[in-house]
Amino acid sequence: MANQDIHDVLTIFRPVYDHTNRVDGYISLEVSPLLADETEKTTAEARQLWAHLNQPNLFIKIPATAQGLAAIEACIAEGINVNVTLIFSLEAYEHVVLAYLRGLEKLAERGQKPLSQVASVTSFFVSRVDTLVDSLLDEKITATSNPAQKHHLERLRGKAAIANAKLAYQMYRSYFVEGPKAERFKTLQAQGAQVQRPLWASTSTKNPAYRDVMYVEELIGPNTVNTMPPATIAAFQDHGRVALTLEQGVDAAQQVMEDLREVGIEMRQVTNRLETDGVALFKTAFEDVLQHLDDKRRTLAEEQAAQGNSTAAQAAISSGHSRGIAGAESKQ
Protein backbone atom coordinates (compact mmCIF):
# COMPACT_ATOMS: atom_id res chain seq x y z
CA MET A 1 0.00 0.00 0.00
CA ALA A 2 2.77 2.43 0.90
CA ASN A 3 4.70 1.57 -2.26
CA GLN A 4 1.68 2.33 -4.43
CA ASP A 5 1.01 5.65 -2.68
CA ILE A 6 4.66 6.67 -2.96
CA HIS A 7 4.77 5.63 -6.61
CA ASP A 8 1.76 7.83 -7.40
CA VAL A 9 3.22 10.88 -5.62
CA LEU A 10 6.65 10.35 -7.20
CA THR A 11 4.95 10.59 -10.57
CA ILE A 12 3.15 13.79 -9.58
CA PHE A 13 6.36 15.44 -8.35
CA ARG A 14 8.62 14.21 -11.15
CA PRO A 15 8.15 17.43 -13.22
CA VAL A 16 9.40 19.46 -10.23
CA TYR A 17 12.46 17.21 -10.02
CA ASP A 18 13.15 17.63 -13.74
CA HIS A 19 12.45 21.37 -13.81
CA THR A 20 14.79 22.09 -10.88
CA ASN A 21 17.55 19.88 -12.29
CA ARG A 22 17.33 17.29 -9.50
CA VAL A 23 17.24 19.81 -6.64
CA ASP A 24 13.60 19.45 -5.48
CA GLY A 25 10.58 17.22 -6.04
CA TYR A 26 11.71 14.36 -3.80
CA ILE A 27 9.47 11.98 -1.86
CA SER A 28 10.66 9.87 1.09
CA LEU A 29 9.88 6.26 1.91
CA GLU A 30 11.35 4.86 5.11
CA VAL A 31 12.78 1.44 5.69
CA SER A 32 11.08 -0.44 8.49
CA PRO A 33 12.02 1.21 11.81
CA LEU A 34 12.04 -2.29 13.28
CA LEU A 35 15.38 -2.68 11.49
CA ALA A 36 16.96 0.46 12.99
CA ASP A 37 19.52 -1.58 14.92
CA GLU A 38 20.41 -3.93 12.05
CA THR A 39 22.76 -2.59 9.37
CA GLU A 40 22.55 -5.40 6.83
CA LYS A 41 18.77 -5.74 6.94
CA THR A 42 18.33 -1.96 6.66
CA THR A 43 20.63 -1.88 3.63
CA ALA A 44 18.86 -4.83 2.02
CA GLU A 45 15.41 -3.27 2.46
CA ALA A 46 16.68 0.08 1.13
CA ARG A 47 17.96 -1.68 -2.00
CA GLN A 48 14.67 -3.53 -2.43
CA LEU A 49 12.53 -0.39 -2.11
CA TRP A 50 14.80 1.58 -4.43
CA ALA A 51 14.73 -1.12 -7.11
CA HIS A 52 10.99 -1.71 -6.78
CA LEU A 53 9.97 1.94 -7.20
CA ASN A 54 12.79 2.77 -9.63
CA GLN A 55 12.30 6.56 -9.59
CA PRO A 56 15.18 9.10 -9.39
CA ASN A 57 13.22 11.48 -7.11
CA LEU A 58 12.84 8.90 -4.36
CA PHE A 59 14.55 9.27 -0.98
CA ILE A 60 15.02 6.15 1.12
CA LYS A 61 14.69 7.27 4.72
CA ILE A 62 17.21 5.70 7.13
CA PRO A 63 17.63 6.67 10.82
CA ALA A 64 20.97 8.07 11.96
CA THR A 65 21.58 5.35 14.54
CA ALA A 66 25.05 3.87 14.97
CA GLN A 67 23.92 0.87 12.93
CA GLY A 68 22.26 3.10 10.35
CA LEU A 69 25.47 4.96 9.45
CA ALA A 70 27.01 2.01 7.59
CA ALA A 71 23.74 1.48 5.73
CA ILE A 72 23.67 5.16 4.74
CA GLU A 73 27.22 4.96 3.41
CA ALA A 74 26.49 1.74 1.51
CA CYS A 75 23.36 3.20 -0.11
CA ILE A 76 25.10 6.39 -1.23
CA ALA A 77 27.96 4.28 -2.61
CA GLU A 78 25.39 2.40 -4.73
CA GLY A 79 23.72 5.58 -6.00
CA ILE A 80 20.64 5.38 -3.75
CA ASN A 81 19.24 8.72 -2.54
CA VAL A 82 19.01 8.88 1.26
CA ASN A 83 17.02 11.01 3.68
CA VAL A 84 18.88 10.55 6.96
CA THR A 85 16.32 10.91 9.73
CA LEU A 86 16.23 11.20 13.53
CA ILE A 87 19.25 13.48 13.90
CA PHE A 88 19.35 15.39 17.16
CA SER A 89 22.99 15.96 18.09
CA LEU A 90 25.93 17.71 16.43
CA GLU A 91 28.00 14.57 16.97
CA ALA A 92 25.51 12.37 15.13
CA TYR A 93 25.21 14.95 12.36
CA GLU A 94 28.97 14.97 11.80
CA HIS A 95 29.01 11.16 11.56
CA VAL A 96 26.23 11.35 8.96
CA VAL A 97 28.11 13.93 6.87
CA LEU A 98 31.23 11.78 6.90
CA ALA A 99 29.20 8.71 5.89
CA TYR A 100 27.82 10.70 2.94
CA LEU A 101 31.29 11.79 1.84
CA ARG A 102 32.68 8.26 2.11
CA GLY A 103 29.73 6.95 0.12
CA LEU A 104 30.28 9.53 -2.64
CA GLU A 105 33.97 8.69 -2.81
CA LYS A 106 33.19 4.99 -3.23
CA LEU A 107 30.59 5.78 -5.89
CA ALA A 108 33.16 7.90 -7.74
CA GLU A 109 35.67 5.05 -7.61
CA ARG A 110 33.17 2.58 -9.04
CA GLY A 111 32.15 4.95 -11.82
CA GLN A 112 28.79 3.22 -12.23
CA LYS A 113 26.62 6.32 -11.81
CA PRO A 114 27.23 10.08 -12.13
CA LEU A 115 27.59 11.77 -8.74
CA SER A 116 25.18 14.46 -9.91
CA GLN A 117 22.33 11.93 -9.85
CA VAL A 118 22.68 11.15 -6.14
CA ALA A 119 21.03 13.30 -3.48
CA SER A 120 20.76 13.28 0.29
CA VAL A 121 19.24 15.38 3.08
CA THR A 122 19.83 15.28 6.82
CA SER A 123 16.63 15.52 8.85
CA PHE A 124 17.50 17.41 12.02
CA PHE A 125 14.63 17.25 14.52
CA VAL A 126 14.04 20.62 16.13
CA SER A 127 11.09 21.24 18.46
CA ARG A 128 11.52 17.96 20.33
CA VAL A 129 14.81 19.32 21.66
CA ASP A 130 13.04 22.24 23.34
CA THR A 131 10.30 19.98 24.68
CA LEU A 132 12.79 17.85 26.59
CA VAL A 133 15.20 20.63 27.60
CA ASP A 134 12.33 22.81 28.82
CA SER A 135 11.04 19.98 31.00
CA LEU A 136 14.51 19.62 32.56
CA LEU A 137 14.69 23.38 33.11
CA ASP A 138 11.25 23.37 34.72
CA GLU A 139 12.45 20.76 37.21
CA LYS A 140 15.38 22.97 38.15
CA ILE A 141 13.16 26.07 38.35
CA THR A 142 10.86 24.27 40.77
CA ALA A 143 13.78 23.04 42.85
CA THR A 144 15.48 26.43 43.38
CA SER A 145 14.46 29.20 45.77
CA ASN A 146 17.02 31.65 44.41
CA PRO A 147 15.17 34.35 42.40
CA ALA A 148 18.21 35.19 40.25
CA GLN A 149 18.83 31.54 39.42
CA LYS A 150 15.15 31.00 38.70
CA HIS A 151 15.18 33.95 36.29
CA HIS A 152 18.33 32.65 34.58
CA LEU A 153 16.76 29.23 34.08
CA GLU A 154 13.52 30.72 32.76
CA ARG A 155 15.43 32.74 30.16
CA LEU A 156 16.89 29.51 28.75
CA ARG A 157 13.48 28.00 27.99
CA GLY A 158 12.73 27.67 24.27
CA LYS A 159 16.32 28.43 23.26
CA ALA A 160 18.06 25.04 22.93
CA ALA A 161 16.47 23.75 19.71
CA ILE A 162 17.19 26.77 17.52
CA ALA A 163 20.69 27.12 18.98
CA ASN A 164 21.37 23.45 18.24
CA ALA A 165 20.15 23.83 14.64
CA LYS A 166 22.19 27.00 14.03
CA LEU A 167 25.35 25.27 15.22
CA ALA A 168 24.52 22.31 12.98
CA TYR A 169 24.27 24.68 10.02
CA GLN A 170 27.71 26.04 10.84
CA MET A 171 29.00 22.48 10.72
CA TYR A 172 27.28 22.02 7.36
CA ARG A 173 29.07 25.09 6.04
CA SER A 174 32.43 23.85 7.34
CA TYR A 175 32.06 20.57 5.39
CA PHE A 176 30.31 21.76 2.24
CA VAL A 177 30.88 25.49 1.72
CA GLU A 178 34.18 26.87 3.01
CA GLY A 179 37.12 26.02 5.22
CA PRO A 180 39.75 23.26 5.31
CA LYS A 181 37.17 20.47 5.80
CA ALA A 182 35.24 21.57 2.72
CA GLU A 183 38.14 20.69 0.41
CA ARG A 184 37.14 17.04 0.52
CA PHE A 185 33.67 17.83 -0.81
CA LYS A 186 35.00 20.36 -3.33
CA THR A 187 36.85 17.49 -5.04
CA LEU A 188 33.58 15.55 -5.28
CA GLN A 189 31.64 18.64 -6.30
CA ALA A 190 33.97 19.07 -9.26
CA GLN A 191 32.67 15.68 -10.38
CA GLY A 192 29.05 16.82 -10.04
CA ALA A 193 28.27 15.91 -6.43
CA GLN A 194 25.40 17.71 -4.67
CA VAL A 195 25.62 19.14 -1.17
CA GLN A 196 23.83 17.15 1.50
CA ARG A 197 21.15 19.65 2.49
CA PRO A 198 20.11 20.10 6.13
CA LEU A 199 16.39 19.47 6.60
CA TRP A 200 14.58 20.89 9.61
CA ALA A 201 11.97 18.41 10.82
CA SER A 202 9.52 18.59 13.72
CA THR A 203 9.09 22.34 13.19
CA SER A 204 5.61 22.81 14.59
CA THR A 205 5.59 24.70 17.89
CA LYS A 206 4.60 22.38 20.73
CA ASN A 207 4.44 25.07 23.44
CA PRO A 208 1.53 27.50 22.90
CA ALA A 209 3.48 30.16 24.82
CA TYR A 210 5.98 30.34 21.95
CA ARG A 211 5.54 32.02 18.56
CA ASP A 212 3.88 29.48 16.30
CA VAL A 213 6.39 29.98 13.47
CA MET A 214 9.59 30.30 15.51
CA TYR A 215 11.10 27.10 14.11
CA VAL A 216 10.59 28.42 10.58
CA GLU A 217 11.56 32.07 10.95
CA GLU A 218 14.79 31.36 12.82
CA LEU A 219 16.04 28.62 10.47
CA ILE A 220 16.02 30.21 7.01
CA GLY A 221 19.18 29.84 4.98
CA PRO A 222 20.62 28.61 1.66
CA ASN A 223 20.39 24.93 0.72
CA THR A 224 18.02 24.01 3.55
CA VAL A 225 14.63 22.33 3.67
CA ASN A 226 11.88 22.86 6.25
CA THR A 227 9.16 20.20 6.43
CA MET A 228 6.15 21.90 8.00
CA PRO A 229 2.74 20.47 8.93
CA PRO A 230 -0.25 22.20 7.27
CA ALA A 231 -1.07 24.37 10.31
CA THR A 232 2.48 25.75 10.44
CA ILE A 233 2.48 26.43 6.69
CA ALA A 234 -0.79 28.35 7.06
CA ALA A 235 0.55 30.30 10.03
CA PHE A 236 3.75 31.25 8.20
CA GLN A 237 1.82 32.33 5.12
CA ASP A 238 -0.31 34.51 7.38
CA HIS A 239 2.28 36.22 9.56
CA GLY A 240 5.71 34.67 9.05
CA ARG A 241 8.75 36.89 8.54
CA VAL A 242 11.18 36.02 5.75
CA ALA A 243 14.85 36.78 6.38
CA LEU A 244 18.21 35.00 6.23
CA THR A 245 18.31 34.07 9.89
CA LEU A 246 20.32 30.85 10.12
CA GLU A 247 23.66 32.60 10.32
CA GLN A 248 22.47 35.28 12.71
CA GLY A 249 23.13 34.88 16.42
CA VAL A 250 25.65 32.03 16.11
CA ASP A 251 27.68 33.32 19.08
CA ALA A 252 24.47 33.57 21.10
CA ALA A 253 23.63 29.98 20.13
CA GLN A 254 26.99 28.81 21.43
CA GLN A 255 26.37 30.76 24.64
CA VAL A 256 23.03 28.99 25.12
CA MET A 257 24.82 25.64 24.99
CA GLU A 258 27.40 26.81 27.51
CA ASP A 259 24.70 28.18 29.82
CA LEU A 260 22.80 24.89 29.68
CA ARG A 261 25.97 23.01 30.56
CA GLU A 262 26.61 25.33 33.49
CA VAL A 263 23.16 24.67 34.95
CA GLY A 264 23.69 20.91 34.65
CA ILE A 265 21.99 20.07 31.37
CA GLU A 266 24.29 18.12 29.06
CA MET A 267 23.08 18.25 25.46
CA ARG A 268 24.66 14.89 24.61
CA GLN A 269 22.52 13.20 27.26
CA VAL A 270 19.46 15.07 25.96
CA THR A 271 20.05 14.11 22.34
CA ASN A 272 20.90 10.48 23.19
CA ARG A 273 17.59 10.19 25.01
CA LEU A 274 15.74 11.84 22.13
CA GLU A 275 17.27 9.42 19.62
CA THR A 276 16.36 6.40 21.74
CA ASP A 277 12.82 7.69 22.28
CA GLY A 278 12.52 8.62 18.61
CA VAL A 279 13.41 5.14 17.39
CA ALA A 280 10.96 3.65 19.90
CA LEU A 281 8.19 6.00 18.73
CA PHE A 282 8.86 5.13 15.08
CA LYS A 283 8.69 1.44 15.91
CA THR A 284 5.47 1.81 17.90
CA ALA A 285 3.81 3.83 15.14
CA PHE A 286 4.88 1.30 12.51
CA GLU A 287 3.63 -1.64 14.57
CA ASP A 288 0.34 0.18 15.26
CA VAL A 289 -0.23 0.69 11.53
CA LEU A 290 0.46 -2.99 10.84
CA GLN A 291 -1.85 -4.03 13.68
CA HIS A 292 -4.68 -1.78 12.46
CA LEU A 293 -4.30 -3.12 8.94
CA ASP A 294 -4.34 -6.70 10.22
CA ASP A 295 -7.42 -6.01 12.35
CA LYS A 296 -9.15 -4.47 9.34
CA ARG A 297 -8.16 -7.40 7.15
CA ARG A 298 -9.57 -9.88 9.66
CA THR A 299 -12.81 -7.89 10.00
CA LEU A 300 -13.29 -7.73 6.25
CA ALA A 301 -12.51 -11.44 5.92
CA GLU A 302 -15.05 -12.29 8.61
CA GLU A 303 -17.68 -10.05 7.00
CA GLN A 304 -16.98 -11.60 3.62
CA ALA A 305 -17.20 -15.11 5.06
CA ALA A 306 -20.45 -14.26 6.84
CA GLN A 307 -21.86 -12.75 3.66
CA GLY A 308 -20.76 -15.83 1.74
CA ASN A 309 -22.43 -18.13 4.25
CA SER A 310 -25.59 -16.05 4.14
CA THR A 311 -25.61 -16.13 0.34
CA ALA A 312 -25.01 -19.89 0.36
CA ALA A 313 -27.80 -20.37 2.89
CA GLN A 314 -30.17 -18.27 0.82
CA ALA A 315 -29.23 -20.25 -2.27
CA ALA A 316 -29.86 -23.51 -0.44
CA ILE A 317 -33.24 -22.31 0.79
CA SER A 318 -34.12 -21.09 -2.67
CA SER A 319 -32.97 -24.37 -4.19
CA GLY A 320 -34.94 -26.39 -1.63
CA HIS A 321 -37.99 -24.24 -2.20
CA SER A 322 -37.72 -24.79 -5.94
CA ARG A 323 -37.38 -28.54 -5.50
CA GLY A 324 -40.42 -28.50 -3.23
CA ILE A 325 -42.47 -26.68 -5.83
CA ALA A 326 -41.24 -29.01 -8.56
CA GLY A 327 -42.15 -32.05 -6.42
CA ALA A 328 -45.61 -30.73 -5.72
CA GLU A 329 -46.16 -30.03 -9.38
CA SER A 330 -45.07 -33.54 -10.33
CA LYS A 331 -47.55 -35.02 -7.83
CA GLN A 332 -50.29 -32.87 -9.27
Side-chain angles (χ1 to χ4, degrees):
M1 291 173 66
N3 285 351
Q4 185 59 54
D5 283 347
I6 294 295
H7 177 273
D8 293 344
V9 182
L10 284 167
T11 302
I12 293 170
F13 277 79
R14 180 61 186 272
V16 177
Y17 172 83
D18 294 333
H19 179 71
T20 60
N21 194 27
R22 299 185 292 271
V23 174
D24 291 317
Y26 291 92
I27 307 299
S28 296
L29 176 62
E30 66 180 338
V31 297
S32 168
L34 304 180
L35 306 177
D37 298 323
E38 300 185 61
T39 300
E40 293 303 322
K41 290 183 178 180
T42 292
T43 307
E45 182 162 311
R47 290 189 187 114
Q48 186 272 327
L49 293 171
W50 178 258
H52 177 73
L53 287 162
N54 193 29
Q55 294 285 346
N57 56 326
L58 173 68
F59 273 133
I60 301 298
K61 188 182 288 187
I62 300 175
T65 59
Q67 296 79 6
L69 291 171
I72 292 161
E73 180 179 336
C75 287
I76 295 297
E78 294 176 23
I80 298 172
N81 301 332
V82 180
N83 175 348
V84 186
T85 188
L86 278 182
I87 304 174
F88 295 97
S89 71
L90 298 178
E91 293 81 7
Y93 175 57
E94 186 167 30
H95 288 314
V96 168
V97 169
L98 293 173
Y100 177 62
L101 295 175
R102 288 193 300 268
L104 286 177
E105 288 165 346
K106 290 179 180 178
L107 181 62
E109 289 174 7
R110 292 171 181 171
Q112 296 175 342
K113 184 175 184 179
L115 298 190
S116 61
Q117 294 182 16
V118 182
S120 180
V121 293
T122 49
S123 293
F124 220 96
F125 282 57
V126 183
S127 64
R128 294 189 195 182
V129 174
D130 273 344
T131 299
L132 180 52
V133 171
D134 283 0
S135 69
L136 297 174
L137 287 169
D138 288 342
E139 291 175 4
K140 294 180 180 297
I141 290 169
T142 302
T144 185
S145 57
N146 184 321
Q149 179 69 359
K150 191 183 292 285
H151 177 68
H152 179 59
L153 292 167
E154 288 173 344
R155 289 179 63 250
L156 289 173
R157 297 180 80 258
K159 299 291 180 61
I162 290 172
N164 198 42
K166 289 193 174 188
L167 295 177
Y169 189 70
Q170 289 303 302
M171 185 176 290
Y172 154 80
R173 287 186 52 82
S174 73
Y175 274 102
F176 292 101
V177 182
E178 60 184 358
K181 293 179 181 178
E183 293 305 312
R184 184 176 179 182
F185 175 71
K186 294 297 182 183
T187 301
L188 295 163
Q189 191 175 39
Q191 302 173 61
Q194 301 184 43
V195 299
Q196 187 183 42
R197 288 186 292 171
L199 182 154
W200 313 124
S202 184
T203 55
S204 62
T205 304
K206 307 298 188 293
N207 189 333
Y210 299 157
R211 186 169 168 80
D212 57 358
V213 291
M214 62 183 284
Y215 300 118
V216 182
E217 289 180 335
E218 295 296 326
L219 301 177
I220 300 174
N223 285 323
T224 60
V225 182
N226 194 313
T227 53
M228 294 174 266
T232 304
I233 293 174
F236 190 78
Q237 288 176 326
D238 179 66
H239 52 267
R241 297 188 293 258
V242 179
L244 291 173
T245 54
L246 253 179
E247 295 189 74
Q248 296 176 6
V250 175
D251 290 341
Q254 188 62 57
Q255 186 62 51
V256 167
M257 295 304 176
E258 292 176 9
D259 289 346
L260 287 171
R261 192 179 304 113
E262 287 177 2
V263 299
I265 296 178
E266 290 292 337
M267 284 302 294
R268 172 163 285 194
Q269 294 177 4
V270 169
T271 54
N272 285 347
R273 178 174 161 185
L274 286 168
E275 180 183 307
T276 301
D277 291 348
V279 171
L281 286 170
F282 272 26
K283 288 181 179 180
T284 299
F286 189 75
E287 289 171 334
D288 285 348
V289 168
L290 294 180
Q291 186 61 56
H292 284 309
L293 286 173
D294 192 51
D295 291 345
K296 186 66 174 178
R297 181 189 62 81
R298 292 176 184 276
T299 300
L300 291 173
E302 290 168 1
E303 290 175 354
Q304 189 175 35
Q307 186 177 18
N309 292 337
S310 176
T311 301
Q314 289 294 332
I317 292 170
S318 178
S319 176
H321 182 62
S322 297
R323 285 198 300 274
I325 293 173
E329 288 176 344
S330 66
K331 289 179 181 178
Q332 289 176 353

